[in-house]
Amino acid sequence: MKIDLNKTLIASLTVGISLCSLSCTNDDDMDMPENGNIASLFVSSNTSGMISIMDFTDPSNVSTSTTASAGADADGIYYDAEDDEIIQLVRSNNSLNVYGDFKASLMNSGISISLGLNTMGDFVSGREIAVYNDMVVVAESPVEANGNQSSFYVYQKTSSGFTLMNTYRVDFALWGIHIEGNTLYAIVDKDSDLAVFNNFFANTDGMISPSKRVTIEGLVRTHGLTYSMEDDLMVLTDIGDAGSDSDGGLTLITDFSNKLNATSNGGMISSSQQARIEGTNTSLGNPVDVAYSEDSQMIFVAERANGGGKILAFNYFNSNGNPSPAFSQSVEGASAVYYYED
């Protein structure tokens, strides 16, 4: 059945938030911020039907709040500080969802986070979202239901819902995406490549090609990525063999823009230009998403396979190694992360 893409559904569903402190493992000291109103990690799950919100404001007492998601199988997640809203992609019903009044809910346990907007999309296998101002980009992975076609769906968020503005098709499998201004970085799934789309929003509907596509030497299969313009740092996850819960890795590329500019289209960023951690100490098996704190230089990972799902945090590293995470906490079905600090 074809879904009307521009149809906006206003939902009155209210979901309660339960505040709880969960135990965590701290193998190394975390260099986290000591001030600021919010230092929170937002976590989606593709099994539990819950959103987890970890408060890292006080690194000695990390607490976790949980609230019901609009579906059991969810992926991309984002916190909009200006509107105090969480935006989440739910694969259970192919929807984009907005949950409001986040700060008030944290400060007053009696107030609930409400699902204010629930808009059905025409994507059938949405994986990640990226947000720039009022534009929300959905990356869709290829499955039989969409004719094995990967696409970007570009929505504009309004006070009444989401309006589909553009649909771009690509000739490779998508997973993780990150947008910085008008530049979009995309994972080439089932591969070791990174695609870069300059002037992304200037494209017209139909097939589009990346401005540049490069191979990241040493990666087996990428899933998650994030980029910090302030630190000019690219972070990429490597899930390795999807059937293994112990062969994942994490790659940092410093001075990324210069290295990317110096690499020709179709070229390779060599292992000597990266730092990588992997091995049994890291607990990395299938790291599917990643977030980064520019203030503390901590790296947060949604680890999907090891132990059924975990959130791992690592201190910044500039050489290869096999470190233990600075923070580890079980989160069933952890599928996506977004970090916000104010």
Side-chain angles (χ1 to χ4, degrees):
M1 180 177 67
K2 184 175 180 180
I3 298 172
D4 183 356
L5 304 179
N6 294 318
K7 182 178 180 181
T8 301
L9 302 178
I10 306 299
S12 59
L13 173 65
T14 299
V15 292
I17 184 168
S18 59
L19 302 178
C20 58
S21 292
L22 301 181
S23 61
C24 60
T25 300
N26 292 281
D27 298 308
D28 298 312
D29 292 334
M30 288 191 294
D31 183 20
M32 298 301 294
E34 296 181 357
N35 54 19
N37 296 322
I38 296 179
S40 295
L41 185 75
F42 300 84
V43 186
S44 281
S45 167
N46 58 18
T47 59
S48 72
M50 303 299 291
I51 297 172
S52 298
I53 305 159
M54 296 182 174
D55 180 8
F56 283 91
T57 305
D58 179 0
S60 65
N61 184 28
V62 177
S63 61
T64 298
S65 308
T66 59
T67 183
S69 172
D73 182 0
D75 214 307
I77 192 166
Y78 176 86
Y79 174 63
D80 181 343
E82 183 175 348
D83 293 333
D84 193 27
E85 295 175 336
I86 298 169
I87 303 174
Q88 186 188 44
L89 183 151
V90 173
R91 290 168 54 82
S92 300
N93 61 359
N94 304 314
S95 65
L96 284 173
N97 302 273
V98 175
Y99 312 81
D101 299 324
F102 164 66
K103 287 183 181 178
S105 296
L106 283 187
M107 291 185 288
N108 301 282
S109 59
I111 297 177
S112 297
I113 291 179
S114 59
L115 176 58
L117 299 176
N118 175 271
T119 299
M120 313 298 278
D122 69 337
F123 51 87
V124 297
S125 183
R127 285 295 178 186
E128 180 62 288
I129 62 173
V131 180
Y132 178 65
N133 293 332
D134 61 349
M135 307 302 287
V136 181
V137 182
V138 173
E140 180 181 48
S141 61
V143 293
E144 185 177 351
N146 59 24
N148 294 309
Q149 175 63 61
S150 269
S151 300
F152 296 111
Y153 295 88
V154 181
Y155 293 89
Q156 184 173 38
K157 177 178 172 287
T158 70
S159 60
S160 59
F162 297 90
T163 300
L164 182 68
M165 305 300 291
N166 294 101
T167 304
Y168 308 138
R169 301 191 306 275
V170 294
D171 63 358
F172 58 86
L174 288 168
W175 199 286
I177 56 174
H178 177 92
I179 198 157
E180 199 71 45
N182 202 28
T183 300
L184 184 134
Y185 302 96
I187 288 298
V188 180
D189 188 22
K190 305 175 184 177
D191 208 327
S192 55
D193 287 6
L194 173 69
V196 183
F197 295 84
N198 298 326
N199 300 315
F200 177 75
F201 293 110
N203 286 292
T204 56
D205 286 353
M207 185 69 69
I208 64 172
S209 298
S211 308
K212 182 177 282 190
R213 176 170 166 172
V214 298
T215 297
I216 311 299
E217 186 178 18
L219 289 185
V220 176
R221 181 179 179 183
T222 49
H223 260 15
L225 82 165
T226 192
Y227 173 69
S228 165
M229 179 179 288
E230 180 177 312
D231 293 349
D232 196 14
L233 177 71
M234 177 63 72
V235 188
L236 299 146
T237 72
D238 187 352
I239 70 164
D241 180 355
S244 171
D245 66 357
S246 60
D247 69 340
L250 193 62
T251 292
L252 300 189
I253 305 176
T254 58
D255 193 27
F256 175 74
S257 60
N258 287 328
K259 291 174 181 175
L260 179 66
N261 290 336
T263 305
S264 61
N265 187 30
M268 177 181 290
I269 296 179
S270 67
S271 296
S272 63
Q273 297 175 287
Q274 315 165 28
R276 178 182 171 97
I277 60 172
E278 60 185 338
T280 55
N281 291 341
T282 66
S283 298
L284 293 169
N286 282 184
V288 292
D289 198 19
V290 63
Y292 174 72
S293 166
E294 292 172 339
D295 287 347
S296 66
Q297 293 190 305
M298 291 294 298
I299 302 130
F300 301 92
V301 177
E303 164 54 44
R304 181 59 187 84
N306 194 312
K310 294 180 180 181
I311 293 300
L312 307 173
F314 295 91
N315 290 308
Y316 176 86
F317 56 92
N318 55 19
S319 60
N320 298 343
N322 180 20
S324 297
F327 172 88
S328 177
Q329 180 170 300
S330 295
V331 176
E332 180 188 339
S335 59
V337 288
Y338 182 82
Y339 183 76
Y340 177 80
E341 189 168 76
D342 179 12

